[in-house]
Amino acid sequence: MRSTPRHAAAGVRRRLTPSSVAGQVLLQQVLLVTVLVVAAAAAVFLQARHDATQDAYDRSLSVAETFAHAPGTRTAMESRNPSALLQPSAEATRRTAGVTYVVAFDPDGIRWSHPDPSLIGGHVSGEFAPALGGEPFQETFDSTLFGRAVDTTVAVLDDTGTPVGLVSVGITVRSVQGAVTRQLPLLLGAAAIALVLAVAGTTLVTRRLRHQTHGLGPAEMTRMYEHHDAVLHAVREGVVIVRDDGRLVLVNDEARKLLALAPDAGGDVRDLGLPPDLAALLASGAMTDDDVRLIGDRLVSVNQRPIETAGSSGSVATLRDTTELRAVSARADAALGRLSLLYDAGVHIGTTLDVVRTAEELAAVAVPRFADFVTVELLEPVLSGDEPEDGARMRRVASVGVHDDHPLYPVGTELTSMPGSPETEGIGREGAALLADLTAADAWHAQDPERAGRVLAYGIHSLVSVPLRARGVLLGCADFWRSDKERFGAEDVAFAEELAARAALSIDNARRYTREHTVAVALQRSLLPRAPRRHAALELSHRYVPSASGVRGDWFDVIPLSGARVALVVGDVVGYGLHAVATMGRLRTAVRNFSALDLAPDELLAHLDELVARTDEETSEDGDSEGAGPLLTGATCLYAVYDRVGGVCTLATAGHPAPLVVASDGTAHQADVPVSPPLGAGGGVPFETTAFPVAEGSALALFTDGLVADRTRDIGAGVVLLTAALAQAGPDPEAGCDAAVERLVPARPADDVTLLIARTRLVDRDRVAEWDIPDDPAEVAPIRRDVARRLADWGLEDLSYGTELIVSELVTNAIRYGRQPARLRLIHEGAVLTCEVTDGSSTAPHLRRAAPGDEGGRGLFLVAQFAHRWGTRYLDRGKTIWTEQAVTAAAPTVDLSEEDLLGQWPDDF
């Protein structure tokens, strides 16, 4: 019969009635989605309204701050007619910023500007007193002219902090709410779309639910259940269904037999007398696969899955009798345990590159899963990273057991070579030695009968001793002892050898690292300077702590310079190991060579940068050749020169942290140094020099980034900690080094740590003498006499002859070949007398041997004979020629007789 529209409508109503599951699902989903959409729309509306109001506050504050601090605002407020100046700018700001009003007024509240010019001169409404303290004041108030508005008031202060006027910027609430109202159509449209989509999705779910039931009626469902029940009880696997509250829902016949349950068993599964672990598993509903449980004398495999049914949830477990697999399972468990132990050995052995620690990790992994006690002995050369030698003795380095009171040899014992000793016989043995029964091991008894008796009395009954070999080299021996477990068998020997082989490779890696690390540290320490505790210009102290992961390229140097100056250098080379150390040595040598030229810090770094760039180019070209080292780009360097006479520190840096300055009163700060790129990375960018005075008794702290930066803090935070530590310790270099290391250096630093602290001293002004050099050769003799008198005052009459000759030659050259201004300076510093002649010419003299017919060229040769050292230092304008003479109680350094002097000229001259 054809379906009529009335019948179709009735069918739809039946499907959607509350008694129908599909109808209930549809109705609930529609109601829930409607509530959620309405709530979300309301929340979005309220949030948008709040955000718009907050934006009004922020915008009014921004406009008020900008206008108050704009150039000319304060001047206009302090002028004779503020309104004439402020009204145009206030109106222009209001229109540009899109705010309701911008009002400027004096501290008494009298308006200088207003959107309505007729209100200028009147008193402002609203509260503004809190803004007079200097902080912006914000409020929402009802204005008679604009209505309710968001207002921000900002004070304009003079240099003394006194308010000279105020600026008030407002935005009406009506404009804020208008912005939110304009968003309502969008919100309502989104909510309607969400509601339609949710109803459509719910309808699809309802149709799918009807599809899954196949339209079966009650009778068909009953017959299907009876069929399933018959099949369930006929299968040879146990089936147990448990609700999520632990109550038993269904158990088939096979499950009753496997679990030994009564026919009428029911209730909570934990009250059925099952093994507690199995009952807990069934009640938990946790998913498990092939979980084998021992139930009585049966071995049962359990598979469990959670299930969800209409109106309830629980789990279904299947049980299978696997008793015949018990023996196979036991062997499989043993093999699995061995594989698991080997895996753990690979993970936990060799975590560090320390020989002793690796041996301890081997012992810790094997106890108690394989042996009750494990001892490890290593050859003496292995402990220091050397190659093992024939006849080397072994020392016990690790001992781990289930108990600490065992009678085995303790750690540190040197084992002697006795016949029958498994430990020492390993030197000539390729494989492991098995002593399954120690009571019958006569050779083992003979080596130490008293201790062997104590070992057996303790209960230790079996031993496997395995030599530790790696890359064909014997490193030591590992001994596995058992007391509580059954005796070792042949299958245990192969496993012990595999375990020892893995450990031996890690021990050999640690040995090789120890050797390389020792060589690198020794090389680096040999390349670093032996900085004296006391220097003529500085009191020095330093600390160097190598990285725990490998020696890197940190370095420092202290280089005496001419003119009572000293250079302090700190550098850091990228990479680690011997390449980094060798590179450090090359850079340090280059810095020393460049410093001998008396270059300025920026010029020295420029030469060093060029050297690094050229070296990197050569390294890149030879990168595939054997022994090619890494690139140097990225190395950093700080070069500082301290002048003891002027008390000035001049420095330049190439990507290196600036030094800290610790004043004599304990205050500390980081020097302000221009930032420059690391060496080789600047691309030709010039380095900048910074000069600043350093008071006598202050300290300069130069350091590498390894001191202030690590995995837990950046360089900025580390510098703050270092500054605090040095401030607490004061300018004393030794105390500062101790405080910095204690505060910042961890037990195992990830990078090299280098710290150099120098406390400054000034040359006594009585030990410095200076003369201006006139442009007149006749003034040479008076200057020479003044020098002689000053040397007599200093008690240096023995140097008078040579010094007068040096002064005469250098001053004469400055007058003849130099440019004004010219100046002579003598410095008596400790055991050195320095003579400096400075003039405005950049032309430097050169030492040469004059030809027989030359009229000149011999004076500088004589200067070189009388001076201990001499050289030329170029300045920004001009040069300084300096000489140094050793101050001793004996005669001058060079004693030339009259014949020697005349010998400089030929007989026919």
Side-chain angles (χ1 to χ4, degrees):
M1 183 177 71
R2 176 175 292 180
S3 174
T4 64
R6 179 180 299 175
H7 291 155
V12 173
R13 285 195 299 270
R14 284 195 300 271
R15 288 194 297 270
L16 299 179
T17 55
S19 59
S20 170
V21 174
Q24 291 178 359
V25 171
L26 179 60
L27 181 60
Q28 290 176 359
Q29 291 293 329
V30 171
L31 291 177
L32 178 60
V33 170
T34 302
V35 172
L36 292 178
V37 168
V38 172
V44 171
F45 176 77
L46 294 176
Q47 182 64 35
R49 185 173 182 178
H50 174 270
D51 292 344
T53 303
Q54 184 61 42
D55 178 68
Y57 272 115
D58 296 339
R59 192 148 57 95
S60 66
L61 175 61
S62 176
V63 174
E65 289 280 5
T66 303
F67 188 82
H69 297 94
T73 299
R74 173 183 162 188
T75 304
M77 289 183 176
E78 294 175 340
S79 66
R80 293 179 175 273
N81 190 0
S83 295
L85 299 175
L86 294 174
Q87 175 67 10
S89 59
E91 285 303 292
T93 300
R94 179 180 64 83
R95 289 189 295 271
T96 302
V99 297
T100 303
Y101 60 83
V102 176
V103 177
F105 54 94
D106 64 14
D108 296 327
I110 303 303
R111 298 187 188 94
W112 285 328
S113 69
H114 195 277
D116 186 356
S118 64
L119 297 181
I120 296 176
H123 196 281
V124 298
S125 59
E127 181 68 24
F128 64 88
L132 294 175
E135 295 293 332
F137 174 69
Q138 293 185 309
E139 64 173 344
T140 302
F141 75 103
D142 294 322
S143 172
T144 58
L145 182 60
F146 303 105
R148 191 163 183 79
V150 174
D151 180 86
T152 299
T153 302
V154 177
V156 178
L157 308 178
D158 60 11
D159 295 336
T160 63
T162 302
V164 299
L166 299 98
V167 177
S168 179
V169 177
I171 302 174
T172 61
V173 174
R174 183 173 59 256
S175 62
V176 174
Q177 293 176 345
V180 177
T181 303
R182 287 191 294 272
Q183 300 179 10
L184 282 178
L186 179 61
L187 294 177
L188 295 178
I193 293 173
L195 183 59
V196 171
L197 293 176
V199 172
T202 304
T203 303
L204 293 176
V205 172
T206 304
R207 295 181 59 185
R208 185 170 181 83
L209 178 62
R210 288 181 54 82
H211 175 72
Q212 290 179 347
T213 59
H214 302 287
L216 295 176
E220 290 83 358
M221 295 293 292
T222 301
R223 284 195 298 271
M224 186 177 63
Y225 172 77
E226 292 174 349
H227 174 72
H228 288 175
D229 187 62
V231 174
L232 182 66
H233 289 285
V235 296
R236 296 298 304 271
E237 282 193 354
V239 178
V240 178
I241 300 178
V242 182
R243 290 194 323 205
D244 56 358
D245 59 357
R247 296 189 63 82
L248 190 65
V249 175
L250 182 145
V251 56
N252 68 349
D253 294 340
E254 183 68 15
R256 292 182 190 277
K257 182 177 68 173
L258 293 175
L259 300 178
L261 297 178
D264 58 347
D268 196 313
V269 71
R270 287 163 290 204
D271 300 333
L272 300 179
L274 299 177
D277 57 343
L278 178 60
L281 175 62
L282 296 176
S284 67
M287 185 175 66
T288 182
D289 291 314
D290 294 328
D291 188 353
V292 179
R293 301 296 179 109
L294 184 62
I295 305 175
D297 59 348
R298 297 176 183 273
L299 203 62
V300 178
S301 175
V302 182
N303 289 273
Q304 184 168 263
R305 292 291 184 275
I307 58 174
E308 294 287 340
T309 60
S312 64
S313 61
S315 62
V316 57
T318 61
L319 312 175
R320 187 174 69 255
D321 188 357
T322 58
T323 306
E324 65 277 5
L325 299 177
R326 179 179 300 178
V328 178
S329 177
R331 291 194 294 271
D333 287 344
L336 182 62
R338 295 290 174 84
L339 289 176
S340 176
L341 181 55
L342 287 178
Y343 172 78
D344 291 343
V347 172
H348 296 101
I349 296 177
T351 58
T352 64
L353 292 173
D354 183 83
V355 173
V356 175
R357 179 58 185 162
T358 305
E360 293 173 346
E361 290 170 346
L362 165 62
V365 165
V367 175
R369 296 162 64 182
F370 178 67
D372 297 314
F373 301 92
V374 176
T375 56
V376 181
E377 299 80 37
L378 296 177
L379 296 174
E380 290 281 4
V382 175
L383 298 176
S384 58
D386 299 329
E387 292 287 341
E389 301 174 354
D390 294 338
R393 304 177 72 87
M394 287 199 299
R395 185 176 300 277
R396 180 155 292 176
V397 296
S399 179
V400 178
V402 293
H403 305 292
D404 296 333
D405 58 346
H406 60 79
L408 299 174
Y409 289 116
V411 172
T413 303
E414 186 181 85
L415 301 179
T416 58
S417 178
M418 295 184 179
S421 168
E423 298 92 336
T424 54
E425 284 187 352
I427 296 178
R429 190 176 66 239
E430 292 294 333
L434 171 62
L435 301 180
D437 186 2
L438 290 178
T439 59
D442 297 335
W444 178 76
H445 276 271
Q447 62 173 326
D448 192 344
E450 188 273 334
R451 185 171 293 273
R454 291 167 53 192
V455 170
L456 294 176
Y458 188 80
I460 298 176
H461 53 71
S462 186
L463 166 66
V464 173
S465 182
V466 187
L468 297 173
R469 294 182 181 273
R471 302 178 178 93
V473 177
L474 178 70
L475 306 174
C477 182
D479 307 319
F480 303 91
W481 312 77
R482 281 185 177 177
S483 59
D484 300 333
K485 294 179 174 59
E486 62 182 10
R487 288 185 172 87
F488 286 113
E491 67 278 5
D492 297 318
V493 175
F495 178 78
E497 290 178 338
E498 176 66 21
L499 191 62
R502 297 191 178 201
L505 188 60
S506 296
I507 291 175
D508 190 54
N509 290 338
R511 177 188 68 84
R512 291 170 180 267
Y513 169 78
T514 300
R515 178 180 59 188
E516 181 178 347
H517 183 73
T518 302
V519 171
V521 170
L523 176 59
Q524 186 174 37
R525 291 191 181 277
S526 67
L527 293 176
L528 291 176
R530 300 296 185 265
R533 286 290 304 275
R534 294 189 176 274
H535 189 274
L538 303 165
E539 181 181 352
L540 301 167
S541 183
H542 72 281
R543 295 291 185 274
Y544 169 72
V545 182
S547 166
S549 60
V551 177
R552 300 177 186 268
D554 288 16
W555 60 283
F556 71 92
D557 207 346
V558 180
I559 307 172
L561 301 176
S562 63
R565 298 174 307 132
V566 62
L568 303 175
V569 194
V570 171
D572 191 356
V573 177
V574 295
Y576 62 91
L578 292 176
H579 278 303
V581 175
T583 301
M584 177 270 288
R586 294 166 64 185
L587 289 182
R588 179 172 174 247
T589 301
V591 169
R592 276 195 165 265
N593 291 335
F594 289 143
S595 66
L597 301 177
D598 262 332
L599 299 176
D602 56 337
E603 295 181 8
L604 185 142
L605 290 183
H607 285 289
L608 197 63
D609 180 73
E610 182 181 359
L611 172 65
V612 169
R614 186 168 61 252
T615 303
D616 281 349
E617 291 177 359
E618 297 172 356
T619 303
S620 299
E621 294 174 358
D622 301 336
D624 296 332
S625 63
E626 182 179 358
L631 299 181
L632 305 184
T633 299
T636 64
C637 183
L638 171 67
Y639 188 84
V641 176
Y642 173 67
D643 183 359
R644 191 184 171 196
V645 176
V648 176
C649 180
T650 305
L651 61 87
T653 176
H656 202 85
L660 296 182
V661 181
V662 184
S664 56
D665 60 357
T667 58
H669 68 280
Q670 190 171 24
D672 186 11
V673 179
V675 178
S676 298
L679 296 174
V685 176
F687 297 93
E688 296 186 48
T689 298
T690 299
F692 54 89
V694 180
E696 185 174 13
S698 301
L700 295 172
L702 285 69
F703 55 90
T704 57
D705 58 1
L707 177 64
V708 295
D710 59 18
R711 298 183 181 92
T712 61
R713 64 172 181 264
D714 57 14
I715 292 181
V719 170
V720 172
L721 292 177
L722 178 61
T723 303
L726 296 182
Q728 183 178 4
D732 180 59
E734 194 68 23
C737 287
D738 291 340
V741 171
E742 180 181 358
R743 182 78 174 272
L744 284 88
V745 180
R748 296 179 59 82
D751 194 3
D752 281 3
V753 173
T754 300
L755 174 62
L756 174 64
I757 301 181
R759 182 156 60 181
T760 62
R761 298 192 185 95
L762 292 178
V763 176
D764 190 348
R765 295 306 303 176
D766 293 339
R767 296 291 181 171
V768 179
E770 296 182 272
W771 295 270
D772 291 328
I773 302 176
D775 192 11
D776 183 3
E779 296 296 327
V780 175
I783 292 177
R784 189 168 57 242
R785 288 192 296 270
D786 291 342
V787 169
R789 285 194 295 269
R790 180 53 60 95
L791 293 179
D793 295 339
W794 289 342
L796 302 179
E797 293 87 348
D798 293 339
L799 297 179
S800 180
Y801 179 76
T803 304
E804 288 185 50
L805 188 149
I806 292 172
V807 169
S808 178
E809 175 62 25
L810 296 183
V811 170
T812 301
N813 285 343
I815 295 174
R816 288 183 176 180
Y817 309 112
R819 295 179 182 176
Q820 291 293 324
R823 194 168 182 81
L824 167 66
R825 182 170 71 170
L826 291 182
I827 305 172
H828 179 202
E829 180 191 17
V832 176
L833 175 64
T834 303
C835 175
E836 296 180 344
V837 175
T838 303
D839 66 82
S841 173
S842 299
T843 303
H846 298 281
L847 178 65
R848 62 184 179 87
R849 183 176 294 276
D854 291 344
E855 295 184 1
R858 296 174 178 80
L860 198 58
F861 179 82
L862 295 178
V863 169
Q865 300 301 311
F866 280 92
H868 178 66
R869 290 197 313 152
W870 75 280
T872 303
R873 181 169 70 250
Y874 290 95
L875 308 175
D876 292 339
R877 294 182 179 179
K879 66 178 180 299
T880 297
I881 302 177
W882 56 269
T883 65
E884 290 183 358
Q885 297 171 268
V887 176
T888 61
T893 304
V894 178
D895 185 11
L896 293 180
S897 62
E898 183 177 353
E899 289 77 9
D900 295 328
L901 291 175
L902 295 177
Q904 302 299 320
W905 286 266
D907 294 337
D908 57 352
F909 182 73

